[in-house]
Amino acid sequence: MSIRIALENPPEFYTNLDIMKGHVVLNLSRHETVGAIIVKLEGESRTALGIPNDNSSTGVPHREMPSAGDIIYENHKILYKVAQAFPNENSPPQAGPVILNPGQHHFPFQFKFPFNNSCGNTEAMAKIGGVVNAGGFAPGAGLFGLGGIRVMDGTKQLMYSHVTKTLPPSFTGFPGEAEIRYYVKVTIQRPGLFKENWRYQIGLKFLPIEPPRPPKSNQEAYARRPFAFRPRTPPSTAPPSTKKRTSFFGRSTTPQPPPPVGGPSNSSSSTEASPATPPSIEMSARLPHPAILTCNKPIPLRLLAKKLAPSNGEVYLVAVQIDLIGKTIVRCQDLINTELNRWVIVSRQGLSIPVSKLDDTVGTEVVLPDAIWNNVPLPNTVMPSFLTCNLSREYQLEVKVGLAWGKPDNPQHGSSNSSSFFGGSNRNKGKNLVNIPQEIHLPLNFSNVQVFSGLTPPAALVEAMRQGRTRPARKQTNPNGRPPQQQQPRPNIPPQGVASSSRPPAPVLPPRPAVVNSQQQQQNDASEAALYPPQLQPGQDAPPYDDAPPTYEEAMAEEMTGPAFPSTARPAYSGVTDENAASSLPEKN
């Protein structure tokens, strides 16, 4: 016996609105009795954190908190879909177990990836639990003749706090702490008291589509920093030392001053000069507003330099480094941990790019060439920003620039020798240390940038979301179907301390609500119910629970069919090293 899941044309990763088609391939070497074949599409967001030694800041009473060193868990079923591959929908509802002949059998199945996570729908989670359709799919199958599909207990999800957001991407990288995985499970139910069900699963990668981008504009987000170099020490103009030197034989000699060149020296034409004015520059890094980066795309960065003060000094860009910092917030019940990742996008040294020239006037802006970073895409291990129930990912961008006052000795090629700026290099021997270029490093940070997946949503979905924002707000109702009562307007009481020509009026008290007996209240409720009857669906005897309905874009997403994103247009993504590897989180006891 062997079980295999064969997916039809599987892409590098799946995304929202994708339709997954596949077959359950069952190879039998003998006759087997099968009650049902159940296929599940699941996604889990799991976290595990250890209790710190000082758990007084968690806000949970000590008697209810586990002891220090224990591990607590939180598992969210962000995706849960169930389909029955055998028997199919056309089979009679009271059909019994089927005996399959030896050989290879194929059972097709199909799923459609939703838009948002499923654990946030508390009403749907509360309805999942135990066995559904008991006695309907395979009566006599299972233990003691109990039939139906055994599913997870959705009531466990009600213990956690949830958010309704777009499905997060597949994610590993913090072993034993956090992971997000998607997989397809198959269960072959074998009726019998001592027969175990056959199970098999495969993992898959998931990358969500990005939200609609704002329209393009000329606005930019920037990080700027003005700076000025330190004034250089003027060269020494003191006369030569007149200290007597003692020879080896004990005779003292007095050094003679050098003879004047070109005639006698003139005190008015002294070589003493005032120190040069140090350059003052403002460096700024700019991104389109809002600051959005795209997976597998270069960073749309601009570097500008502005001259702030008159100076004859030249300034050069000698080094640049661009780092992307990922901030992962891991939450497990009342514990929160923050993990940082850093990707070095660009790191170049030994440059000699002019920033400020001699003939530049004050206020001149120079746009530095972007050939250093405009061809370097983000690594395929960078996932888009996301927020789910117990995990979230944020990003920061850090740009470091190195500037030199004076042209460096190693233009464009080779690595800069930092020891030359401190006089440690042999090539500086015999040189005037005053002429060594002065170097300064400036950080330019963007504290909050978003990273999008690069999978643009379908035009029909974007239009549906735009229309959903312009639709009138749904009229709020109470659970009994009546509109909420209007609050009484507050009386206009003049503020204290305001001068008035007449005597200030006495404070006006709000009207006291009239006392209504229970019988009169029931009559009022009945009259309001007659005026505002609850909207019942066909076949309903009582109004349903007043829960938030699905959004307009969710309803439109469910109606869309067909491949939204071809496999050839999907960028590379390596958020999960091995989607079929075992979970790195410790098992819950």
Side-chain angles (χ1 to χ4, degrees):
M1 183 276 303
S2 65
I3 307 175
R4 184 169 56 91
I5 297 177
L7 301 178
E8 296 182 5
N9 301 322
E12 176 68 20
F13 57 83
Y14 288 92
T15 186
N16 305 97
L17 311 181
D18 272 352
I19 297 178
M20 173 194 290
K21 295 182 180 181
H23 291 79
V24 177
V25 182
L26 177 62
N27 292 314
L28 298 177
S29 59
R30 62 182 182 181
H31 293 83
E32 289 289 347
T33 303
V34 175
I37 298 179
I38 310 303
V39 185
K40 300 177 184 178
L41 176 62
E42 296 188 15
E44 291 183 339
S45 175
R46 303 178 60 192
T47 55
L49 293 176
I51 302 297
N53 294 330
D54 183 15
N55 55 8
S56 58
S57 60
T58 57
V60 179
H62 188 273
R63 65 179 184 274
E64 299 179 2
M65 198 70 176
S67 59
D70 293 345
I71 299 178
I72 58 177
Y73 305 84
E74 189 166 336
N75 185 2
H76 288 259
K77 288 287 186 179
I78 54 178
L79 176 60
Y80 193 80
K81 286 196 169 187
V82 183
Q84 180 171 325
F86 176 80
N88 55 26
E89 299 178 354
N90 299 327
S91 300
Q94 299 299 329
V98 179
I99 299 177
L100 299 180
N101 297 324
Q104 188 177 86
H105 304 268
H106 293 261
F107 305 98
F109 64 88
Q110 176 176 317
F111 290 106
K112 183 177 181 180
F113 283 85
F115 204 84
N116 295 335
N117 60 318
S118 59
C119 60
N121 191 347
T122 56
E123 184 179 3
M125 289 291 106
K127 294 180 179 179
I128 300 178
V131 179
V132 298
N133 295 330
F137 286 121
L143 186 61
F144 302 116
L146 180 61
I149 303 176
R150 190 172 299 276
V151 295
M152 72 167 186
D153 187 5
T155 57
K156 294 182 179 180
Q157 298 293 312
L158 304 180
M159 299 185 300
Y160 306 134
S161 58
H162 303 276
V163 295
T164 301
K165 295 290 183 179
T166 306
L167 286 173
S170 301
F171 164 63
T172 57
F174 301 112
E177 184 178 357
E179 66 179 12
I180 298 177
R181 289 181 177 271
Y182 294 86
Y183 37 78
V184 180
K185 290 182 177 181
V186 58
T187 302
I188 299 179
Q189 297 181 354
R190 303 172 63 205
L193 184 59
F194 299 103
K195 289 186 178 181
E196 184 181 0
N197 293 338
W198 294 334
R199 305 178 188 277
Y200 183 77
Q201 73 176 37
I202 60 171
L204 53 93
K205 295 180 182 178
F206 181 85
L207 190 67
I209 65 175
E210 63 182 32
R213 294 176 181 254
K216 293 184 178 181
S217 64
N218 296 328
Q219 298 180 353
E220 290 182 321
Y222 61 88
R224 62 177 58 165
R225 186 179 293 270
F227 72 97
F229 288 95
R230 295 189 305 271
R232 290 174 175 173
T233 304
S236 177
T237 58
S241 175
T242 58
K243 184 178 179 180
K244 294 183 179 182
R245 294 179 297 177
T246 303
S247 65
F248 179 76
F249 299 99
R251 293 179 301 175
S252 61
T253 60
T254 303
Q256 300 294 328
V261 179
S265 62
N266 188 2
S267 60
S268 61
S269 61
S270 175
T271 58
E272 182 178 0
S274 61
T277 304
S280 180
I281 305 293
E282 180 187 76
M283 290 296 301
S284 62
R286 302 186 182 183
L287 292 173
H289 178 75
I292 297 176
L293 310 182
T294 307
C295 293
N296 294 275
K297 294 293 182 64
I299 300 177
L301 177 69
R302 294 204 309 153
L303 288 180
L304 288 84
K306 182 179 180 181
K307 191 172 184 179
L308 299 180
S311 175
N312 293 330
E314 292 183 334
V315 181
Y316 291 86
L317 177 70
V318 296
V320 61
Q321 179 169 328
I322 304 175
D323 294 350
L324 183 64
I325 303 174
K327 180 180 178 182
T328 306
I329 301 176
V330 182
R331 187 181 62 83
C332 188
Q333 298 184 21
D334 294 303
L335 298 179
I336 296 177
N337 187 34
T338 302
E339 300 285 351
L340 296 180
N341 297 86
R342 181 181 292 267
W343 292 267
V344 179
I345 309 301
V346 173
S347 181
R348 293 285 301 276
Q349 298 181 359
L351 304 175
S352 182
I353 301 177
V355 172
S356 177
K357 301 179 181 180
L358 296 177
D359 54 351
D360 289 343
T361 60
V362 177
T364 302
E365 285 190 351
V366 177
V367 180
L368 303 184
D370 59 353
I372 301 175
W373 61 85
N374 66 348
N375 294 323
V376 181
L378 295 182
N380 59 2
T381 56
V382 176
M383 69 182 65
S385 307
F386 71 90
L387 171 63
T388 188
C389 305
N390 55 347
L391 281 171
S392 64
R393 168 64 66 89
E394 303 172 355
Y395 287 98
Q396 300 176 0
L397 189 65
E398 185 179 88
V399 182
K400 297 178 182 178
V401 293
L403 301 167
W405 177 11
K407 189 173 183 179
D409 296 335
N410 45 356
Q412 292 296 335
H413 60 275
S415 60
S416 61
N417 189 358
S418 60
S419 61
S420 62
F421 298 139
F422 301 97
S425 178
N426 294 330
R427 61 182 179 180
N428 289 328
K429 291 184 178 181
K431 289 186 178 181
N432 188 359
L433 298 181
V434 178
N435 296 327
I436 296 177
Q438 184 183 145
E439 187 172 342
I440 188 173
H441 295 269
L442 298 177
L444 304 172
N445 299 333
F446 293 88
S447 60
N448 185 17
V449 297
Q450 300 182 52
V451 177
F452 283 8
S453 63
L455 301 175
T456 56
L461 181 60
V462 175
E463 182 64 23
M465 298 176 67
R466 186 180 296 110
Q467 294 179 4
R469 294 190 183 99
T470 58
R471 288 163 61 92
R474 186 173 62 95
K475 189 175 182 179
Q476 297 181 358
T477 59
N478 291 328
N480 55 7
R482 298 191 304 270
Q485 297 181 357
Q486 300 292 334
Q487 297 182 355
Q488 296 291 340
R490 299 183 62 182
N492 295 327
I493 301 177
Q496 297 181 0
V498 179
S500 177
S501 58
S502 59
R503 187 176 61 183
V508 180
L509 298 177
R512 180 176 300 178
V515 179
V516 182
N517 54 24
S518 59
Q519 183 177 2
Q520 185 177 358
Q521 182 67 28
Q522 293 177 359
Q523 294 177 358
N524 294 339
D525 294 345
S527 60
E528 291 183 5
L531 293 175
Y532 305 97
Q535 301 296 325
L536 301 179
Q537 299 296 333
Q540 288 184 349
D541 299 329
Y545 179 74
D546 188 28
D547 194 6
T551 59
Y552 189 64
E553 54 268 21
E554 288 177 354
M556 289 295 299
E558 291 297 331
E559 295 178 1
M560 294 180 183
T561 58
F565 311 97
S567 302
T568 56
R570 303 189 181 188
Y573 176 62
S574 181
V576 178
T577 305
D578 185 6
E579 57 270 21
N580 290 314
S583 176
S584 62
L585 270 70
E587 294 296 335
K588 185 176 180 180
N589 296 330

